[in-house]
Every structure is written in C-alpha cells, then in structure tokens.
Amino acid sequence: MRNPRRYEARTAERIRDKVAASRRKGMWMGGVPPYGYRVENRKLVIDDESAAHVRWIFSRFTLLAPDIVDAILDGKQGPEATLAQVLEPFPGA
C-alpha cells in the first residue's frame, strides 16, 4: 500500500512542474489579466484601448513624481518592491 502523504507530495510536485512549464511557454495560467492586456489563445496580448490609458497614467506619473521614477529606474528598489516600499523615502508621496 502506498503512503498517502508521499502520493500527495508527488501529485503536488507534478502539478507545480506542469504549471511552471506552461508559464515558460508563455501561457496565461488564468486569473484577471493585468490592465492593458487581454487573453487570446491562453496568451496575454496588448489591448490597445486600455493600454493607451496605462501609457497616459504612466506619463502623468513621470511628470508628477520624477524623483520616484528616477529611484525606480536607478535600481534603488528591487524589481519585487511594492509601491509602499518605493514611496517610503518620499514623505507625502
């Protein structure tokens, strides 16, 4: 008789491996796509209409908060930094 815990662990590992392989292929694995994108054939593609909004928002942000943008682009914050961590050195931002 198989050990149920070992069987569950192997099943979970196979699922994780399959999801990781799908992501490496560029497949969207579900959920709400980021604003500015839509899902077509399980891949993210740019949605021109909402992407225009994202570009506008970013352009406004760069004009209103250039110090914050510089800090992000200079790599002072890692790629996994949250918005709160990025804004921390900028009181009132």
Side-chain angles (χ1 to χ4, degrees):
M1 184 173 181
R2 285 187 163 179
N3 180 345
R5 288 185 189 161
R6 182 77 175 141
Y7 180 74
E8 287 176 18
R10 286 184 177 172
T11 302
E13 184 178 344
R14 283 195 305 270
I15 291 169
R16 277 193 303 274
D17 290 346
K18 186 169 180 146
V19 168
S22 296
R23 285 184 178 171
R24 279 192 297 274
K25 291 179 187 175
M27 296 174 72
W28 180 248
M29 298 307 299
V32 178
Y35 188 70
Y37 292 88
R38 68 179 184 279
V39 179
E40 282 184 13
N41 299 321
R42 296 186 69 183
K43 298 217 181 223
L44 289 177
V45 295
I46 295 174
D47 178 31
D48 293 327
E49 185 177 330
S50 58
H53 296 148
V54 172
R55 289 184 191 102
W56 181 85
I57 291 166
F58 185 75
S59 70
R60 301 277 65 161
F61 180 74
T62 58
L63 292 174
L64 298 173
D67 295 337
I68 296 172
V69 173
D70 289 342
I72 295 168
L73 297 178
D74 289 344
K76 294 177 184 172
Q77 301 289 337
E80 300 297 319
T82 64
L83 183 59
Q85 290 168 328
V86 171
L87 295 176
E88 189 174 297
F90 302 96

